[in-house]
């Protein structure tokens, strides 16, 4: 028998991924405890709430960050708590004109800890307040590293699993594995409850698109009589999504020439914060940042043809489904904000 | 089940051996257990037989039952099993990983 301390883990190994998950759990407890002292009661999303729920014993679901949803009225206090713990916001709303992020990403240099502070979920059309009212009545306790934290009810988690799959489409393995397991192990009654929640937060279309990413999920979506139509944005999420395709969608969704001009300027000359978050070259000191800015317009122009083609495909799919793009698009997060 | 799987914990009954709850997340990975002692910032790896004991300790158990696990699942002689359990518990206690 062997109990080994200070173990070594190869980069990219399952062991390294597991160690990162344990570290994320400890960070989550640290943050939640500090937020509670400031009278903020967040809801833990994903992470351990999924890994310990539907994954078979011994199968690892790696995660390296913490996702927390807070009440709209508690957001400022939650951000102050994060700042007091040494976290810094990676990208703010001002960095992404025409693009409302569902969560802001925070990073702590000291230990590399990461957190997404959610105000909404990708694919939800309800307002932040409406979403919070629904979800805060859909929670249950979870013991995380010895501390009782609040996570979503199984029905709300099932909905989130489908939304998360839709957010990343077929381009990311983990959300699809979550979905595959959730469809396999969760009872149909629970999915029916998830559909009711989806209706309340205006996310049926996204939930349906997420489920349809796997054959078993598609059968479940049909059984649940979920809508087959979907918006252009959802088609972009679940389909092929080259760089820039989402930006075209955001450009199409905003109104007013000033806003559109500002968005174009910001696409060609993003804030330093966004450049550093999205481009490794920009993190290599002042010269690297300048080089990244010089390269940026060429990259944007070079990305355009594929982006336009993807956007047109999504538009055609949405038109074929006879659904106009919603007047209030679902919120989302920039794919570049996660390091 | 890993440390975060239960929503509530009752205090251990007298004589029950159990892992410390606080600051000790862990996962079973490919038959072994990986844990993080957040109080010392130390990662721990426990091999397969130790993992079986660890999982029993997470639920709460006693020394006799731990020895039975080694006898039943790992074909240990009773005297060796008891010796190994004692050594394992001593190692956990030394690191402050058992509930008091």
């Amino acid at each position: 028998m062997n109990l080994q301390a200070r173990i070594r883990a190869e980069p990219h190994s399952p062991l390294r991924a597991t160690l990162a998950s344990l570290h994320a759990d400890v960070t989550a407890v640290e943050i939640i405890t500090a937020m509670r002292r400031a009278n903020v009661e967040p809801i833990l999303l994903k992470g351990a709430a999924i890994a310990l729920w539907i994954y078979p014993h011994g199968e690892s679901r790696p995660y390296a960050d913490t996702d927390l949803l807070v009440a709209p009225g508690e957001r400022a206090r939650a951000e102050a708590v994060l700042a007091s713990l040494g976290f810094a916001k990676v990208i703010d709303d001002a960095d992404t004109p025409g693009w409302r992020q569902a969560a802001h990403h925070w990073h702590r240099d000291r230990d590399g800890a990461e957190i997404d502070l959610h105000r909404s979920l990708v694919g939800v059309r309800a307002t932040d307040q409406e979403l919070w009212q629904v979800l805060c009545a859909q929670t249950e306790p979870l013991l995380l590293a010895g501390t009782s934290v609040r996570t979503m009810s199984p029905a709300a988690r099932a909905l989130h699993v489908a939304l998360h799959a839709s957010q990343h489409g077929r381009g990311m393995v983990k959300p699809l594995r979550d979905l595959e397991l959730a469809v396999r192990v969760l009872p149909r009654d629970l999915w029916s409850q998830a559909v009711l929640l989806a209706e309340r937060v205006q996310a049926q279309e996204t939930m349906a698109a997420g489920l349809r990413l796997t054959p078993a999920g598609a059968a479940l979506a049909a059984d649940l009589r979920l809508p087959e139509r979907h918006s252009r944005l959802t088609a972009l999420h679940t389909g092929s999504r080259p760089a820039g395709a989402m930006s075209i969608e955001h450009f199409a969704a905003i109104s007013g020439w000033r806003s559109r001009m500002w968005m174009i300027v910001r696409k060609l000359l993003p804030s330093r914060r966004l450049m550093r978050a999205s481009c490794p070259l920009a993190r290599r000191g002042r010269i690297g940042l300048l080089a990244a800015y010089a390269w940026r317009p060429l990259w944007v122009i070079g990305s355009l043809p594929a982006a336009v083609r993807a956007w047109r495909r999504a538009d055609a799919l949405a038109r074929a489904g006879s659904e106009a793009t919603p007047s209030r698009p679902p919120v989302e997060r920039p794919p570049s904000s996660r390091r | 089940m890993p440390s975060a799987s239960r929503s509530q914990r009752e205090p251990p009954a007298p004589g029950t051996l159990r892992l410390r709850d606080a600051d000790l997340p862990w996962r079973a990975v490919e038959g072994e257990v990986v844990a993080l002692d957040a109080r010392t910032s130390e990662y721990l790896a426990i091999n397969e037989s130790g993992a079986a004991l660890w999982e029993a300790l997470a639920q709460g158990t006693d020394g006799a039952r731990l020895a039975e696990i080694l006898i039943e699942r790992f074909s240990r002689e009773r005297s060796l099993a008891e010796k190994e359990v004692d050594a394992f518990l001593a190692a956990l206690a030394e690191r402050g990983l058992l509930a008091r």
Side-chain angles (χ1 to χ4, degrees):
Chain A
M1 194 162 354
N2 184 20
L3 187 157
Q4 185 187 356
R6 299 186 191 89
I7 52 180
R8 296 171 66 88
E10 296 298 321
H12 311 298
S13 64
L15 179 57
R16 175 65 69 92
T18 302
L19 299 182
S21 302
L22 298 178
H23 186 255
D25 286 352
V26 171
T27 303
V29 167
E30 177 197 1
I31 294 169
I32 291 169
T33 303
M35 284 188 177
R36 282 174 174 164
R37 282 198 292 267
N39 293 320
V40 176
E41 185 60 48
I43 298 174
L44 178 74
L45 309 171
K46 299 190 292 185
I50 301 291
L52 303 173
W53 178 44
I54 51 175
Y55 273 68
H57 185 62
E59 180 178 340
S60 172
R61 184 205 185 263
Y63 52 91
D65 65 355
T66 301
D67 289 79
L68 296 177
L69 177 72
V70 294
E74 295 174 355
R75 186 168 182 81
R77 262 180 289 150
E79 291 195 341
V81 168
L82 288 177
S84 73
L85 293 175
F87 286 87
K89 197 186 283 186
V90 176
I91 299 174
D92 210 344
D93 288 336
D95 302 312
T96 57
W99 188 325
R100 189 174 192 273
Q101 301 165 60
H104 286 127
H105 192 63
W106 293 67
H107 174 83
R108 184 163 63 187
D109 283 339
R110 183 174 82 220
D111 58 357
E114 313 264 357
I115 171 179
D116 285 340
L117 188 63
H118 285 255
R119 55 188 172 193
S120 187
L121 302 176
V122 173
V124 164
R125 289 186 192 154
T127 64
D128 298 349
Q129 187 62 39
E130 288 166 346
L131 176 69
W132 177 258
Q133 279 173 349
V134 171
L135 292 186
C136 75
Q138 289 282 330
T139 63
E140 62 178 35
L142 174 80
L143 196 65
L144 187 67
T147 297
S148 181
V149 304
R150 189 158 66 145
T151 190
M152 292 193 291
S153 70
R157 267 181 277 173
L159 168 61
H160 192 205
V161 165
L163 298 182
H164 192 220
S166 169
Q167 175 187 349
H168 295 288
R170 292 189 175 84
M172 200 180 277
V173 172
K174 189 166 64 177
L176 287 178
R177 179 66 178 149
D178 290 351
L179 178 68
E180 185 182 58
L181 288 171
V183 169
R184 189 190 303 167
V185 305
L186 301 180
R188 191 191 179 284
D189 281 357
L190 192 72
W191 284 107
S192 297
Q193 293 169 39
V195 171
L196 294 176
L197 291 175
E199 287 171 9
R200 293 178 63 193
V201 301
Q202 301 173 53
Q204 305 104 300
E205 172 215 312
T206 327
M207 179 184 179
L211 284 176
R212 290 199 171 92
L213 289 168
T214 67
L220 177 63
D223 187 39
L224 294 167
R225 299 178 188 281
L226 284 166
E228 293 197 19
R229 65 187 188 279
H230 52 243
S231 70
R232 199 165 54 209
L233 184 60
T234 304
L236 276 170
H237 273 303
T238 53
S240 141
R241 191 180 14 164
M246 278 296 180
S247 297
I248 295 173
E249 174 59 18
H250 299 141
F251 186 79
I254 60 174
S255 55
W257 68 271
R258 278 177 192 273
S259 301
R260 288 188 164 189
M261 284 303 294
W262 180 236
M263 189 174 169
I264 290 171
V265 168
R266 272 313 196 186
K267 279 292 154 193
L268 295 171
L269 289 171
S271 66
R272 276 180 290 181
R273 195 155 52 174
L274 185 60
M275 286 296 281
R276 289 190 176 119
S278 61
C279 176
L281 178 62
R283 293 197 282 272
R284 292 186 191 169
R286 194 178 175 82
I287 300 295
L289 182 63
L290 287 171
Y293 269 118
W295 172 247
R296 174 83 185 182
L298 299 174
W299 179 82
V300 169
I301 292 164
S303 305
L304 263 179
V308 169
R309 280 196 299 275
W311 186 85
R312 282 185 171 162
R313 271 197 306 274
D315 189 53
L317 280 170
R319 286 177 193 277
S322 309
E323 166 143 316
T325 304
S327 55
R328 184 183 187 280
V331 291
E332 63 186 281
R333 52 171 295 165
S336 57
S337 67
R338 200 180 283 268
R339 291 188 195 183
Chain B
M1 292 287 279
S3 64
S5 61
R6 293 167 58 171
S7 57
Q8 296 296 333
R9 282 282 206 185
E10 292 174 3
T16 301
L17 295 166
R18 200 158 77 185
L19 289 174
R20 190 184 85 206
D21 272 340
D23 305 321
L24 190 61
W26 59 275
R27 294 281 188 282
V29 185
E30 296 171 353
E32 302 192 342
V33 158
V34 180
L36 168 60
D37 183 353
R39 293 181 185 170
T40 60
S41 298
E42 194 168 62
Y43 288 109
L44 307 165
I46 298 102
N47 71 358
E48 194 178 356
S49 53
L53 303 189
W54 182 281
E55 293 189 30
L57 284 164
Q59 302 298 318
T61 186
D62 57 43
R65 177 63 200 136
L66 292 176
E68 290 299 327
I69 289 171
L70 293 183
I71 293 164
E72 289 167 11
R73 291 174 53 183
F74 299 94
S75 306
R76 298 283 205 280
E77 297 287 338
R78 180 167 296 279
S79 59
L80 178 62
E82 288 171 352
K83 206 171 162 183
E84 286 190 351
V85 166
D86 287 345
F88 188 66
L89 291 174
L92 296 180
E94 187 186 357
R95 294 179 182 281
L97 301 179
L98 294 177
R100 291 179 184 174

